[in-house]
Amino acid sequence: MNHKLSDETIGGLPLHEGRAELLEEIMATPVLDVIDTPSHLKRPRPRWITVAAAAASIAVIAGVPAYLLHDDGASGDAPAFAAAVPGPVDRALLGLEGWRVINMVDGTDGEIVFANGGQQLDVYWSKASEHDDRVDDRGDAGDPDELRLWGEPALMFAYGTTDHTVIRGVDGDGFLEIRGSGMDEQAFRALLDDLQPVDVKAFAAGLPPEVVTPGEQAEVVTEMLSDVKTPVGFDPTTVRIDGATNRYQLGAKLTGTVACVWLDKYAAGQARGDDTLVDRAANAMKASHSWAILDEMATTGAWPEQIWEQGDAMAAGRDATRLMRLYGCNDGTMVDD
């Protein structure tokens, strides 16, 4: 099979212009067939028992690949790419219509999570030294099916009828695990066929706009703050997530930080009987119901509800000390329960 993204497909992807140009160059040549599974190896498998965490916490800047430490949207800064990924497959991208990135953690160990309605596809990358332990852990689900993924041996485990994972063999310094949930085995295998294997540089070029690289964070934070009233002296450059992330995670950190700073002002006003400061902080947070970034995030998760609840509580004049505890603002960071 000639497994590549066509010019038409690339043109339809929601990519930044620089990334789109780079991805077109990278994907211009075919790669290996994706799946070749002997039918006699298929067998019923038990339900999933336990899942070990496959991705590490967000990497510190020192552990983030160099290509993510600058604005990779400028194609002029991009190095040359090898055709057809002849070396190790480090990552994988999904360019199907309807699928979007809902989470991303990058580093030596990391993941990118694609979602489409109730279906989810997780691509994990890990160090080669973790491969055997990962296979042993997934073995709690029962005997795996053997298959080939991008021309190399892989093992597929079934956690249930709509939850499967494939662990590819070690490739270079690492390996990939790909998990599909909310879909049956046939749909999962079809989705594997649509995944595009890439190296780390091609991965950076193909990231959709909902993924925010370190070089883009300052600009995205400024955009998110366009209709958010911030306290005097608030420094938006202090709001950062190390490594690549997505708009939801960055939006949560930004709005949580702003909310906690306003709550701190609110607490100071209550402590010294400054009704003007209390009202200013409460009104600023009451306006959170109209923040565009929260409306955007509300289509994905429940974080905006915490911000709105906090604003409503402040507008109602609730005790600042209790609110600081409730929303985890004593250390300047809200907790998403």
Side-chain angles (χ1 to χ4, degrees), residues 187-233:
F188 176 54
R189 288 176 179 268
L191 205 55
L192 288 174
D193 191 67
D194 288 308
L195 270 178
Q196 181 71 34
V198 293
D199 60 21
V200 291
K201 298 179 182 68
F203 181 76
L207 290 174
E210 61 262 29
V211 174
V212 183
T213 64
E216 298 167 333
Q217 283 194 32
E219 180 182 355
V220 174
V221 165
T222 299
E223 173 254 310
M224 290 178 174
L225 287 173
S226 61
D227 61 353
V228 176
K229 183 173 178 58
T230 57
V232 174

Side-chain angles (χ1 to χ4, degrees), residues 17-39:
E17 181 179 355
R19 294 179 182 174
E21 292 175 359
L22 197 52
L23 184 61
E24 184 171 355
E25 174 187 349
I26 295 162
M27 303 305 182
T29 54
V31 295
L32 296 170
D33 286 356
V34 175
I35 295 268
D36 179 14
T37 309
S39 58

Side-chain angles (χ1 to χ4, degrees), residues 82-106:
V85 196
V89 173
D90 299 297
R91 307 282 192 273
L93 287 169
L94 186 65
L96 287 180
E97 183 178 356
W99 289 84
R100 60 192 179 89
V101 176
I102 62 169
N103 195 26
M104 166 123 179
V105 178
D106 200 70

Side-chain angles (χ1 to χ4, degrees), residues 21-209:
E21 292 175 359
L22 197 52
L23 184 61
E24 184 171 355
E25 174 187 349
I26 295 162
M27 303 305 182
T29 54
V31 295
L32 296 170
D33 286 356
V34 175
I35 295 268
D36 179 14
T37 309
S39 58
H40 69 279
L41 292 176
K42 299 178 183 178
R43 62 179 72 100
R45 285 146 304 192
R47 292 183 58 82
W48 171 248
I49 299 173
T50 181
V51 182
S57 299
I58 296 177
V60 294
I61 282 292
V64 176
Y67 73 87
L68 286 176
L69 298 181
H70 59 81
D71 185 356
D72 54 270
S75 59
D77 294 335
F81 297 99
V85 196
V89 173
D90 299 297
R91 307 282 192 273
L93 287 169
L94 186 65
L96 287 180
E97 183 178 356
W99 289 84
R100 60 192 179 89
V101 176
I102 62 169
N103 195 26
M104 166 123 179
V105 178
D106 200 70
T108 304
D109 293 303
E111 69 173 315
I112 185 168
V113 184
F114 303 90
N116 182 8
Q119 297 182 321
Q120 185 166 305
L121 191 74
D122 299 60
V123 178
Y124 306 103
W125 49 93
S126 305
K127 296 184 290 293
S129 60
E130 299 175 5
H131 183 269
D132 291 347
D133 287 342
R134 185 73 55 77
V135 171
D136 288 344
D137 180 85
R138 301 306 187 251
D140 289 342
D143 294 334
D145 276 2
E146 298 178 11
L147 52 81
R148 298 187 73 81
L149 181 62
W150 305 315
E152 296 297 329
L155 299 173
M156 183 170 72
F157 299 88
Y159 311 151
T161 57
T162 60
D163 201 349
H164 301 80
T165 197
V166 167
I167 300 179
R168 196 168 183 260
V170 171
D171 194 355
D173 296 329
F175 70 97
L176 293 183
E177 178 178 6
I178 302 159
R179 179 178 179 181
S181 55
M183 67 194 81
D184 61 21
E185 180 180 332
Q186 182 178 3
F188 176 54
R189 288 176 179 268
L191 205 55
L192 288 174
D193 191 67
D194 288 308
L195 270 178
Q196 181 71 34
V198 293
D199 60 21
V200 291
K201 298 179 182 68
F203 181 76
L207 290 174

